[in-house]
Amino acid sequence: MNTARQLRDKLDHARRLLDEGEPTLATLAQNVGLSASHLQRQFTARFGLSPAEYLAQRKLGTLKLALREGSDVSAALYDAGYGSPSRVYEGGAAKLGMTPARYRSGGAGEQIRWSIADTALGQALVATTGRGICMIELGEDVAALEARLRAEFPGAQLERVDAGRDEFLAPRLRAVADALAGKQAQVPLDLIGTAFQKKVWDALMKIPRGQTRSYAQIAQQIGHPRASRAVANVCANNHVAIVVPCHRVVRGDGSLGGYRWGLPMKQRVLERERVA
């Protein structure tokens, strides 16, 4: 068996051990026959997450599933391996974007105001929590835009507000309209996601206007050089159009790749930014 195959087998074994329990990095390394530092680097390169991040996501996934299935919150927390309720509020709740009890009920208790704005790129649904904008969706079918919002936040209290009729939402609508028109604008965001997703989003927002990066370059930039596909998946699931500029990420050969809001829109925005 060649060395590369042996390494893949060891990394796959490490992942199975993480799926079955909560070994420390040292214990994990000892079980698979690698040094801790080598395991850390190679696991991250192969799976796009460190062993600790992988374990955290596995636990969070277990918690989400149990809550969605109606499990008691306390039982779900302990079954997922958090040990105490405070653990999920310190770490997992930040990734859920809400308390476990609210997640269990599909986001019940979260208040989200939204409106439709006419922008340089057509109609945009802009939704915001008290912390900032959580969704910007583009499209001409208002019913379809609202359906996407409800699918993303199925149990939240959603309130449509006429543009300019809400002191909190109105300035955010203007900021989004400016951003979609290609102007410089400060848009407060409430981005809810995993540690990996946030790394990708941060990297995207550092790409200068008029420039592009490949999925591989973003993966390299965030320290996960073999996670190009994972980066592409994060871009495909971006719910904040233009402001989180996934349109600036292209394939390694320079072709556009995919885009949540359609390739003609991606081409249009990129050309506008290059001219500007």
Side-chain angles (χ1 to χ4, degrees):
M1 185 181 296
N2 61 43
T3 303
R5 177 62 182 276
Q6 288 177 329
L7 177 59
R8 287 198 299 271
D9 287 346
K10 289 181 177 182
L11 295 175
D12 288 340
H13 181 43
R15 184 171 65 171
R16 286 194 296 272
L17 292 174
L18 289 169
D19 287 337
E20 296 168 359
E22 296 186 45
T24 64
L25 179 62
T27 300
L28 198 62
Q30 184 178 11
N31 275 279
V32 301
L34 296 173
S35 70
S37 59
H38 189 52
L39 173 61
Q40 177 92 349
R41 289 194 303 273
Q42 294 300 323
F43 191 96
T44 302
R46 178 167 171 75
F47 299 115
L49 299 167
S50 70
E53 290 171 335
Y54 182 90
L55 179 59
Q57 287 213 19
R58 193 230 347 134
K59 291 167 64 176
L60 183 63
T62 300
L63 174 63
K64 285 182 174 182
L65 180 60
L67 292 172
R68 284 297 195 202
E69 290 180 345
S71 295
D72 174 77
V73 171
S74 296
L77 290 171
Y78 286 103
D79 288 345
Y82 284 98
S84 68
S86 63
R87 294 285 299 280
V88 72
Y89 284 94
E90 292 165 0
K95 295 181 176 67
L96 285 170
M98 57 191 74
T99 67
R102 285 183 178 176
Y103 188 86
R104 177 189 179 189
S105 55
E110 287 289 308
Q111 294 185 333
I112 296 176
R113 296 188 182 99
W114 66 279
S115 189
I116 299 293
D118 290 321
T119 76
L121 298 178
Q123 289 191 315
L125 180 148
V126 181
T128 180
T129 68
R131 299 174 293 274
I133 289 168
C134 58
M135 177 177 278
I136 301 172
E137 280 283 352
L138 305 178
E140 295 306 317
D141 186 336
V142 175
L145 292 175
E146 183 178 356
R148 292 180 203 168
L149 174 66
R150 293 188 181 281
E152 183 69 9
F153 303 102
Q157 180 181 335
L158 303 177
E159 178 185 0
R160 180 171 181 174
V161 179
D162 291 336
R165 301 285 293 276
D166 183 293
E167 292 182 0
F168 182 83
L169 184 57
R172 286 154 178 79
L173 286 171
R174 289 195 294 271
V176 169
D178 285 344
L180 269 58
K183 301 176 183 178
Q184 294 290 343
Q186 293 294 322
V187 182
L189 298 175
D190 182 17
L191 299 178
I192 301 169
T194 66
F196 182 77
Q197 287 173 316
K198 290 177 180 178
K199 285 181 181 179
V200 174
W201 293 330
D202 286 344
L204 298 184
M205 288 187 282
K206 292 176 183 176
I207 303 173
R209 290 166 54 83
Q211 297 184 24
T212 59
R213 299 288 186 271
S214 69
Y215 298 108
Q217 286 174 316
I218 297 296
Q220 183 74 38
Q221 180 179 337
I222 64 175
H224 302 289
R226 298 186 184 179
S228 297
R229 289 185 179 180
V231 169
N233 186 58
V234 171
C235 291
N237 288 285
N238 171 30
H239 293 285
V240 183
I242 310 301
V243 176
V244 177
C246 56
H247 60 277
R248 295 178 190 159
V249 189
V250 298
R251 290 175 177 162
D253 62 3
S255 60
L256 292 182
Y259 192 53
R260 179 179 175 85
W261 295 281
L263 292 184
M265 177 69 75
K266 186 172 186 175
Q267 183 70 50
R268 177 184 174 188
V269 175
L270 286 174
E271 288 178 351
R272 184 186 67 185
E273 291 186 347
R274 289 181 183 125
V275 171

